[in-house]
Amino acid sequence: MANEATSAAALHPETRLVHAGTLRSQFGETSEALFLTQGHVYDSAEQCEARFLNKDPGFQYARFSNPSVTMLEQRMAAFEGAEACRATATGMAAVTAALSSLVRAGDHVVAARALFGSCRYIVEDHLPRYGVQSTLVDGTDLAAWRAAVRPNTKAFFLESPANPTLEVIDITAVAAIAREAGAKLIVDNVFATPLFQRPLELGADLVAYSATKHIDGQGRCLGGLVLGSKELIEGDIQTFLRQTGPAMSPFNAWVMLKALETLPLRVRRQAVSATVVAKWLKGRKELPHVAFIGDPDHPQAEIIARQMSGPSTLIAFEVAGGKDAAFRFLNKLRLIRISNNLGDAKSLIVHPATTTHQRFTPEVRASMGVSDGLIRLSIGLEHADDLIADLQQALAA
Ligand SMILES: Cc1ncc(COP(=O)(O)O)c(C=O)c1O
């Protein structure tokens, strides 16, 4: 099987997303093949043994690796500028694998408190069950990161922009504090997308994605990706994934591999529409607060200018009147559908306080910036004017 030598850093990201990582079979197919197989056969027992000793290059079993999954991993690594990448069954599997691989019982993790509900569960509830303590800090407060460090701190974890508030953290500054502490920094880059933010270049050690979101981009398959140095990815993370089993299915990998070809087109277009919609929302008197990464009035606009090259496709806004008003507004929408997913071609909207952040107490939600009137809107590929018309009629009602 020939590997296309097109992952060279000299190529533009768009080109890498179309060509990098392609493994062509003996049939010379133009479009990447879907290798829907659990395993592989060997010419001899000796070859099988050599494969298990990593002395013979090739595939063994789809829990470890699969040609369609490998193509996705190689293409994503080339896009992100990472030495290595591993695909997982979901975004949460990627986050769990990254964190679990860096720590042992007796270690300590520091994380930003404004996190997606399941990410916060891993840090706050899951790791402590296995003897890994954690401290949650205001991620925007660099002194708080510094003060939380203990001699046994091994990992820092953050989302920037955070789900759903779009709070932004200075990744370069937090990476420097982590390095000084001897800890590794993991960045969940879902909201930024790989197109608009490159955490590894900003000093992070690992970057994790829910590929379910913009990478698939059309609401079909679950998936996750974790990227970083060969040492980290092909060491403890690879072992964790191989032995515990959260492998991405070859079918999902194939869908995402093909989706990567159009990621820049989709995400740039969605970001342009999000900019138009956010500007319109900001002008509504019914909405006391509108957060958007591309807004020059965003409280962390200076950090955004330094570390992001685009505005994300998400908007967070507050409806005056709390949960009742938020529900009335959501129920009036006709085109924009209520869904807890995001990054889809279809615009999707959700009330985080009763869904993604429902399990927290009102006090904890308040500390994360998730109020009862907060709404998260993911902009899709529809025409911005149609989205505005839908928002307008729902707000009027
Ligand atoms: C920021 C963030 N990280 C991780 C995840 C988890 O991804 P998945 O649903 O693919 O497990 C999500 C899902 O919404 C998310 O928004």
Side-chain angles (χ1 to χ4, degrees):
M1 203 179 243
N3 192 342
E4 272 205 7
T6 43
S7 56
L11 295 171
H12 290 83
E14 289 83 353
T15 312
R16 279 181 251 160
L17 283 175
V18 176
H19 291 283
T22 302
L23 296 168
R24 276 218 168 86
S25 78
Q26 69 272 33
F27 301 115
E29 61 279 354
T30 47
S31 175
E32 299 77 354
L34 165 55
F35 291 90
L36 204 52
T37 180
Q38 295 169 343
H40 300 263
V41 294
Y42 311 97
D43 295 336
S44 64
E46 286 76 12
Q47 188 192 41
C48 183
E49 181 190 34
R51 197 94 27 112
F52 271 77
L53 287 169
N54 282 331
K55 289 183 177 161
D56 181 67
F59 297 92
Q60 295 145 278
Y61 188 58
R63 175 154 48 78
F64 315 161
S65 60
N66 165 278
S68 301
V69 179
T70 298
M71 284 193 261
L72 171 66
E73 292 169 342
Q74 291 185 358
R75 186 164 293 179
M76 205 43 211
F79 181 40
E80 191 85 32
E83 285 177 11
C85 171
R86 283 292 169 273
T88 55
T90 64
M92 284 320 303
V95 168
T96 307
L99 271 166
S100 307
S101 304
L102 293 180
V103 293
R104 307 277 180 279
D107 288 344
H108 174 243
V109 172
V110 186
R113 67 187 177 197
L115 295 177
F116 171 57
S118 300
C119 291
R120 184 146 157 168
Y121 169 82
I122 300 297
V123 170
E124 201 176 19
D125 298 272
H126 182 73
L127 292 179
R129 285 216 256 152
Y130 300 94
V132 177
Q133 299 310 312
S134 57
T135 305
L136 292 162
V137 297
D138 172 354
T140 64
D141 180 354
L142 297 178
W145 286 97
R146 252 183 237 108
V149 169
R150 300 180 192 167
N152 55 344
T153 303
K154 292 287 165 32
F156 277 24
F157 179 76
L158 63 87
E159 281 171 26
S160 183
N163 180 359
T165 56
L166 303 179
E167 179 179 282
V168 167
I169 295 174
D170 186 337
I171 296 175
T172 310
V174 174
I177 298 168
R179 227 177 1 260
E180 217 172 283
K184 303 284 185 218
L185 171 63
I186 306 165
V187 173
D188 179 327
N189 206 36
V190 167
F191 267 46
T193 83
L195 191 67
F196 291 149
Q197 184 168 268
R198 305 173 73 75
L200 298 176
E201 285 174 12
L202 298 169
D205 297 284
L206 290 169
V207 54
Y209 289 100
S210 165
T212 315
K213 312 298 189 258
H214 304 86
I215 290 173
D216 174 304
Q218 291 169 72
R220 298 162 296 194
C221 296
L222 294 175
L225 295 157
V226 54
L227 301 103
S229 66
K230 259 182 187 289
E231 189 190 346
L232 286 175
I233 299 287
E234 294 178 4
D236 286 345
I237 290 177
Q238 162 85 349
T239 304
F240 179 89
L241 293 173
R242 179 181 169 129
Q243 308 298 358
T244 64
M248 179 184 276
S249 94
F251 178 79
N252 289 7
W254 177 79
V255 169
M256 290 177 184
L257 179 69
K258 299 307 291 173
L260 281 182
E261 295 178 343
T262 58
L263 182 131
L265 289 175
R266 289 184 282 106
V267 172
R268 280 203 187 101
R269 173 63 213 244
Q270 286 166 282
V272 168
S273 297
T275 307
V276 174
V277 173
K279 211 166 166 189
W280 182 86
L281 287 168
K282 225 183 141 191
R284 300 300 100 191
K285 62 178 181 328
E286 309 91 305
L287 307 177
H289 170 70
V290 177
F292 180 60
I293 294 299
D295 181 357
D297 298 331
H298 187 291
Q300 287 128 340
E302 181 267 325
I303 300 171
I304 292 168
R306 271 194 278 123
Q307 71 184 26
M308 293 184 73
S309 59
S312 172
T313 64
L314 291 128
I315 306 169
F317 57 94
E318 180 97 28
V319 175
K323 177 183 163 187
D324 288 349
F327 274 31
R328 273 202 307 281
F329 165 69
L330 291 175
N331 290 335
K332 290 286 177 199
L333 289 164
R334 296 185 196 127
L335 181 64
I336 302 170
R337 302 307 303 264
I338 302 169
S339 170
N340 52 295
N341 204 7
L342 62 98
D344 198 319
K346 294 178 172 60
S347 290
L348 301 173
I349 199 158
V350 75
H351 182 244
T354 53
T355 57
T356 53
H357 292 68
Q358 166 258 110
R359 71 181 189 89
F360 301 108
T361 62
E363 294 72 34
V364 171
R365 275 201 297 273
S367 75
M368 297 165 93
V370 180
S371 67
D372 286 348
L374 189 76
I375 284 175
R376 186 193 78 195
L377 172 59
S378 169
I379 297 294
L381 286 168
E382 305 93 338
H383 198 290
D385 291 351
D386 295 332
L387 298 175
I388 289 172
D390 196 28
L391 293 164
Q392 186 159 32
Q393 65 79 24
L395 280 177

